[in-house]
Amino acid sequence: MEKQIQPFDTRAGFQEQLRTCISRAHLSLQLFDPDFAAWQLGSSEMDALLRHFLSKHGKLTLLAHSNAELERNAPRFQRLLRDYSHAIECRRSSPALRLLTDSFCIADQLHVVRRYHSDHFRGEAVYDSATDTQVCGERYAEMWAESLPGLNADTTGL
């Protein structure tokens, strides 16, 4: 397939590209954001997309500076984590990585949605390009290696 680039600069544009990226995933999803507040991981639509992905034996990993947003405001995600605890791993970044402010979703090492700064919705989605996804994938692996255990299925969300 030919590489596709989709720039965005609004919350709606980010959400649309994120849903598209997740819907294209078959094997793996790697998500990084300081707190996932803007990702709507607790919405019914995102829950349905992630459940479909996980039901087909996909693997989901999330890395955040803080899991407080998901613990407090995403009960659907908490249920998803409980129902698919064998296929989801959530971790917290080490203190040395807390200065990182970008945000991205990598699907199958082939598609990526990235916001240049997590405080803003400007970014781009690149589909069907292992080359464009490689840098984020390598960064994610390095960050993951330095991360700590995070959110798990035992977290109550209260």
Side-chain angles (χ1 to χ4, degrees):
M1 292 201 125
E2 186 174 320
K3 173 170 97 170
Q4 302 167 8
I5 301 173
Q6 297 288 328
F8 56 86
D9 60 6
T10 64
R11 179 184 295 266
F14 167 66
Q15 292 296 327
E16 178 184 348
Q17 296 306 322
L18 189 57
R19 288 189 302 269
T20 299
C21 187
I22 290 171
S23 69
R24 290 181 178 212
H26 298 289
L27 303 172
S28 67
L29 281 169
Q30 299 167 303
L31 314 180
F32 168 69
D33 189 81
D35 62 11
F36 291 105
W39 288 57
Q40 299 180 348
L41 292 177
S43 72
S44 58
E45 185 177 9
M46 191 63 75
D47 182 66
L49 280 173
L50 291 173
R51 282 184 183 276
H52 177 75
F53 165 74
L54 293 165
S55 72
K56 304 291 183 185
H57 308 290
K59 172 84 170 138
L60 171 63
T61 59
L62 291 89
L63 180 59
H65 298 325
S66 168
N67 290 316
E69 177 69 25
L70 294 176
E71 290 172 353
R72 286 190 215 119
N73 299 319
R76 279 190 188 98
F77 186 78
Q78 292 290 326
R79 284 190 298 276
L80 183 76
L81 181 58
R82 185 188 63 234
D83 294 347
Y84 289 94
S85 60
H86 61 282
I88 302 173
E89 188 172 358
C90 301
R91 296 185 64 95
R92 284 182 304 114
S93 61
S94 70
L97 298 175
R98 302 279 159 85
L99 296 175
L100 298 176
T101 57
D102 60 336
S103 175
F104 55 85
C105 169
I106 303 168
D108 296 341
Q109 300 298 318
L110 191 59
H111 317 293
V112 64
V113 174
R114 64 181 158 237
R115 288 169 38 212
Y116 305 126
H117 194 287
S118 59
D119 289 344
H120 307 285
F121 289 100
R122 197 170 139 262
E124 68 180 4
V126 181
Y127 301 106
D128 301 310
S129 177
T131 304
D132 287 275
T133 306
Q134 184 177 355
V135 171
C136 282
E138 289 171 357
R139 278 189 61 226
Y140 191 84
E142 291 168 5
M143 292 165 24
W144 190 263
E146 290 185 41
S147 66
L148 310 165
L151 196 61
N152 60 52
D154 296 334
T155 303
T156 63
L158 299 176

